[in-house]
C-alpha cells in the first residue's frame, strides 16, 4: 500500500486531489504526537493504578459479576459477525425489525433498571436528573464530533472512500460500546437490573456486529476476519463496565449518578440511532409497533424479575 493510498484512506487526501493538504497533515501529525504522549503517560503512571483496579474488581463478587455480564453482552457482536458467515444476502427489512425490537428492550431497561432506581434513591432526585441529561448530552457531543456513518457501505462507493467509511464505522461502534458497558457496571447494586440491562444491550449488539462485519466484508476483507473484528468491537464493553463499578463505589452518590448517566446515554442510542435506522430499513409503522411491543414485554419481564 502506497503512502498516497494510506493518506486517502485516512481522509488526508481525497481522490482526485493532487498532493497532500498541508493543514490536514499537520493536524494528523499533532494527533499522533498527542496520542503518543498519552500512551507514554499511561504506561508509566497509569499502569499501576489500572492493575490495582483490576485486582480490586476481581476480589469483589458484585463488581466482577457486572463485568462478566457486560463481557457476555459485548460478545453478542460476535453472533452478528457469525451470521455473516452463513448468510448469502442481508434482508434490510428483517434487520430493521431486529434493531427496533432491541431498541425497545434498551428503552425499557434504561427506564426501569437504571433511571427509576436512580431517582428513587433518597436525596438523589436532582442529581439523577442532571446525570441523565449529562449522559444524553455527552453522547450527542460524541455523535457530532466523531466521524461515522450508520448504513452499510453501498455499492456506489468504491476504493479508498469505501474503505475509509467502513473503518470509521467500525471504530465508532467500538467507541460507543464503552458507555453501554458503563450502563451494566453502574447497575451492579441491583443484579437483576444489571442482568436486564446486559440482556437488552446484548440483543442490540447482534445487529451491530452484523453491520460491522458486512461493512468490512464489502471492502474485500475475508468473512472470518470481518466476523472476528465485529466481536472485537464488543469486547471493549467490560472496560466500560469496570469504569462504571469503580465510579459507583468511589462516590457515595456514585451509584444513582452513574445509573442515571448510563440511562441518558442509552436513551440517546435508542432515539438517535436505533429507531431512525430501523425506520429507514423497515418503515415507520413496523418500527413503531415492533419497538412498542418489545418495550412493554421487556418492562413486564424486568418487573417480574424485580429489576
Amino acid at each position: 500500500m502506497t503512502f498516497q493510498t494510506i493518506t486517502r484512506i485516512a481522509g488526508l487526501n481525497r481522490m482526485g486531489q493532487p498532493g497532500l493538504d498541508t493543514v490536514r497533515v499537520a493536524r494528523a501529525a499533532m494527533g499522533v504526537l498527542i496520542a503518543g504522549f498519552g500512551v507514554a503517560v499511561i504506561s508509566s503512571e497509569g499502569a499501576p493504578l489500572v492493575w490495582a483496579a483490576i485486582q480490586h474488581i476481581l476480589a469483589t463478587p458484585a463488581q466482577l459479576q457486572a463485568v462478566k455480564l457486560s463481557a457476555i453482552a459485548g460478545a453478542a457482536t460476535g453472533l452478528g459477525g457469525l451470521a455473516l458467515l452463513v448468510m448469502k444476502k442481508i434482508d434490510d427489512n428483517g434487520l430493521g425489525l431486529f434493531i427496533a425490537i432491541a431498541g425497545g428492550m434498551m428503552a425499557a431497561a434504561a427506564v426501569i433498571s437504571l433511571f427509576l432506581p436512580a431517582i428513587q434513591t433518597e436525596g438523589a432526585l436532582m442529581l439523577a436528573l442532571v446525570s441523565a441529561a449529562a449522559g444524553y448530552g455527552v453522547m450527542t457531543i460524541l455523535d457530532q464530533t466523531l466521524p461515522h456513518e450508520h448504513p452499510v457501505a453501498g455499492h456506489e462507493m468504491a476504493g479508498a472512500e469505501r474503505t475509509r467509511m467502513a473503518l470509521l464505522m467500525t471504530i465508532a461502534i467500538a467507541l460507543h460500546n464503552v458507555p453501554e458497558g458503563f450502563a451494566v457496571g453502574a447497575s451492579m447494586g441491583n443484579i437483576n437490573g444489571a442482568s436486564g440491562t446486559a440482556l437488552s444491550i446484548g440483543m442490540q449488539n447482534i445487529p451491530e456486529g452484523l453491520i460491522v462485519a458486512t461493512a468490512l466484508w464489502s471492502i474485500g476483507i475475508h468473512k472470518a476476519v470481518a466476523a472476528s473484528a465485529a466481536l472485537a468491537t464488543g469486547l471493549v464493553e467490560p472496560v466500560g463496565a469496570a469504569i462504571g463499578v469503580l465510579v459507583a463505589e468511589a462516590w457515595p452518590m456514585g451509584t444513582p449518578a452513574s445509573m442515571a448517566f448510563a440511562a441518558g446515554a442509552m436513551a440517546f442510542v435508542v432515539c438517535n440511532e436505533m429507531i431512525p435506522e430501523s425506520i429507514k430499513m423497515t418503515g415507520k409503522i413496523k418500527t413503531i409497533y415492533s419497538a412498542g411491543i418489545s418495550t412493554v414485554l421487556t418492562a413486564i419481564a424486568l418487573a417480574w424479575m424485580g429489576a
Side-chain angles (χ1 to χ4, degrees):
M1 182 179 292
T2 67
F3 177 69
Q4 291 291 332
T5 300
I6 293 173
T7 56
R8 281 196 293 269
I9 292 174
L12 299 176
N13 186 22
R14 299 287 184 174
M15 294 291 291
Q17 291 183 351
L20 294 175
D21 186 322
T22 304
V23 175
R24 287 181 176 176
V25 172
R27 289 177 179 174
M30 181 62 68
V32 171
L33 289 175
I34 293 173
F37 177 75
V39 170
V41 171
I42 291 173
S43 299
S44 61
E45 303 294 334
L49 294 176
V50 171
W51 177 241
I54 292 173
Q55 289 181 311
H56 177 70
I57 291 173
L58 291 176
T60 310
Q63 294 183 353
L64 182 59
Q65 180 67 11
V67 174
K68 287 180 178 178
L69 288 171
S70 179
I72 294 172
T77 56
L79 295 178
L82 289 175
L84 178 67
L85 300 179
V86 298
M87 294 176 65
K88 295 183 178 179
K89 66 177 183 177
I90 296 183
D91 183 356
D92 279 358
N93 186 60
L95 183 60
L97 286 175
F98 196 97
I99 291 175
I101 292 170
M105 294 182 70
M106 283 190 69
V111 173
I112 295 177
S113 299
L114 296 173
F115 186 68
L116 288 181
I119 64 175
Q120 290 170 355
T121 302
E122 185 177 357
L125 175 60
M126 186 56 63
L127 175 65
L129 292 174
V130 172
S131 297
Y136 198 97
V138 167
M139 289 301 293
T140 302
I141 293 171
L142 289 176
D143 184 71
Q144 295 297 317
T145 56
L146 289 175
H148 65 283
E149 295 288 341
H150 299 290
V152 174
H155 293 292
E156 70 279 1
M157 299 181 65
E161 186 65 21
R162 178 189 290 186
T163 301
R164 178 174 178 269
M165 197 201 77
L167 294 178
L168 287 175
M169 180 192 304
T170 303
I171 293 170
I173 287 180
L175 287 175
H176 104 267
N177 281 335
V178 175
E180 290 182 356
F182 187 95
V184 179
S187 56
M188 69 168 184
N190 180 353
I191 195 61
N192 288 331
S195 300
T197 303
L199 175 61
S200 64
I201 289 174
M203 287 287 291
Q204 179 253 339
N205 280 343
I206 295 176
E208 277 190 0
L210 179 58
I211 289 171
V212 169
T214 304
L216 295 175
W217 178 47
S218 73
I219 61 175
I221 294 178
H222 191 277
K223 281 187 175 182
V225 177
S228 299
L231 172 62
T233 63
L235 294 183
V236 301
E237 292 204 7
V239 177
I243 296 172
V245 298
L246 292 174
V247 169
E249 181 187 49
W251 180 27
M253 297 299 287
T255 296
S258 300
M259 292 174 72
F261 183 93
M266 289 174 67
F268 176 87
V269 173
V270 173
C271 297
N272 190 70
E273 297 194 22
M274 301 183 70
I275 297 304
E277 197 64 32
S278 177
I279 290 175
K280 287 192 294 185
M281 289 182 173
T282 194
K284 183 182 296 185
I285 300 300
K286 289 182 180 179
T287 295
I288 291 173
Y289 279 101
S290 299
I293 293 172
S294 173
T295 301
V296 171
L297 293 178
T298 303
I300 293 173
L302 290 174
W304 178 75
M305 290 170 59

